[in-house]
Amino acid sequence: MYEWDGWTCADCTVCGAGADCADCQQCTDFAFPYPPHWAGDWQQGEPERGVEAFGGPGGMAAGRELVDAGGDWVLIEQNRDAAATARAAGHWVVEADIRTLDPRHPALRCTRRFHGSPPCQTLSDAGLRSGWNSIEISELQSVMWQASEAFGFLEVEDLCSLYGGPHGYFGDVLDGMEDHPDADGWGEHCGGGHLPPTMSPAAVREWAASVVSDARTALMAEMLIWPMCLVQIGAPLVSITMEQSANLLKQTPALAEAIQSEITSTEGFDWAWCSWQIADAADYGASTHRERAWMVATRYEMPRYADHVDGKAAARVTWAHALKKTGKLPAWTPELDRRIEPYQGRPALPVVTVADALNLPANWWADTRGKRRINPETGKPRGGGSFPLNRVGQCVTAPWYGIRFRPADVPQGEGTAMISLSELGILVGFRRDYPWTYIPARAGAKGTRNIAQMIADAVSPFMGAAISAAVQGEDWYDPVTDYQTSLYLLQTTPNEQPARPTEQLTLFPEAGTHNLLDSLFAPSTPAPINRWKRAG
């Protein structure tokens, strides 16, 4: 167990004299690396405390603030530029490798919410797909199945015998134990109960890393390590949310099953709800697609927007590729019969094209790869890398920082208008003045690629708001509608278009194809495109 003598801010003489924890060295040292006021117990009426693992540059946090501006959250992020960006956006950030932190830290004992966005590089199509290895995934699934036992959540009926007591599994007196003081009654550890923790977080992490070829895949285990250790130390945790590559469900459903089973099983958390679904940020207000797997789990009751669907139909669509190849579904899959549906019958937010988002002519094109060679057989440019602006954009990737825009009559690769990093963030759903930050690694470095990669990896604030609202804060619809209108300069009456927004990037050093699933989780009928015009 984590070594702690029970001291809290309640025992602090400095704070007892009226000082704030932030001004008290003892509280600051005790709570480090978390906020000093977390040295004290949470009080009724204070903002709920939450921990966000793999917080990135703050996309989930930006969405969460749209529906719950009063939350008290800590973000954990290892990348120094992402951490600096989130910090510049106003968040408390612990810049560290999450594997070096112990979630049993006493400053975390009042945590009520947990979110995680584990790295997706080993699962995404753009990566090497090492996380798709079926043998590795099976081994990691087995490790994750042991989380409830490792952290003290496995309930047994013969706990008595583990402590040297006289009773067996069915409560009978064991041979040779007839003279035990508790033979004819029940002592403190007699009967059923929960097994004591058997492993530390470090041991589980080491075990998980040992069964996979890329340590980033093993970080999926943090989605059980942190919640279970928080509850183990008495934290009143009531919700867990998670974002990951859609391939988590499509290609490695065994990991999603392991998490869901540990959360809902009577041998694990025994929580009331844990749903998995694939959702696209473009369906909730963004001007580019960002399809991700989302999990929502709640302890006592169904989350807001809870909906039940045909799980078998959803499974056949999600794993259609497996059915086509093998004729059967994967051996281990999470239940898909429940999900959240934020619209609840309300009109969907307007569809916003790339041209709308960036105030460019609808008949223009974007080139992402420069000028391409012509195929002599067809007379057309080879490969992809170009798309029209009169539609919702593809998922933003890091190379998009080199996009050039051009009118349709200008040859491919000869556009002169370039995209700014601020505009790249806008396409994902970040506000225009978001403080993208790069800490130069060498003199003169601008970090353009680094920031573009941050934007490509981030959670879209649109989805962050919808998922957060399912478990906390206010309903997402009105604040997100207002946010979309402001971000993309939309209004309900015709008006003249403004000039294209200018670059608002901040660079400074700092220390330290639609399918059934779409239908099952589809937004309501989109608002007609003529419902709104750009604000003047």
Side-chain angles (χ1 to χ4, degrees), residues 79-230:
N79 181 277
R80 66 175 186 172
D81 298 325
T85 298
R87 195 175 293 118
H91 306 297
W92 185 283
V93 182
V94 174
E95 185 178 337
D97 181 339
I98 196 170
R99 293 165 294 189
T100 66
L101 302 175
D102 194 324
R104 300 169 300 175
H105 192 300
L108 302 174
R109 67 192 183 281
C110 296
T111 304
R112 290 178 58 85
R113 309 285 181 184
F114 181 80
H115 172 78
S117 295
C120 65
Q121 290 90 339
T122 65
L123 297 175
S124 69
D125 292 322
L128 298 177
R129 304 181 183 180
S130 62
W132 294 21
N133 183 292
S134 60
I135 296 177
E136 289 188 8
I137 293 303
S138 178
E139 291 290 334
L140 184 56
Q141 178 192 31
S142 296
V143 173
M144 295 168 70
W145 274 341
Q146 308 304 313
S148 56
E149 180 176 357
F151 300 121
F153 291 92
L154 186 61
E155 188 172 8
V156 296
E157 296 185 21
D158 62 343
L159 188 63
C160 173
S161 62
L162 297 176
Y163 288 92
H167 305 110
Y169 188 83
F170 296 103
D172 55 309
V173 178
L174 300 174
D175 291 343
M177 301 293 286
E178 292 83 1
D179 295 330
H180 191 281
D182 296 324
D184 298 323
W186 294 97
E188 180 182 359
H189 297 296
C190 289
H194 289 90
L195 291 175
T198 59
M199 299 181 72
S200 68
V204 175
R205 288 163 172 161
E206 183 179 358
W207 186 16
S210 71
V211 301
V212 294
S213 57
D214 192 314
R216 291 174 296 182
T217 304
L219 291 173
M220 286 290 297
E222 299 295 331
M223 294 305 301
L224 288 174
I225 292 173
W226 277 77
M228 288 194 166
C229 285
L230 289 172

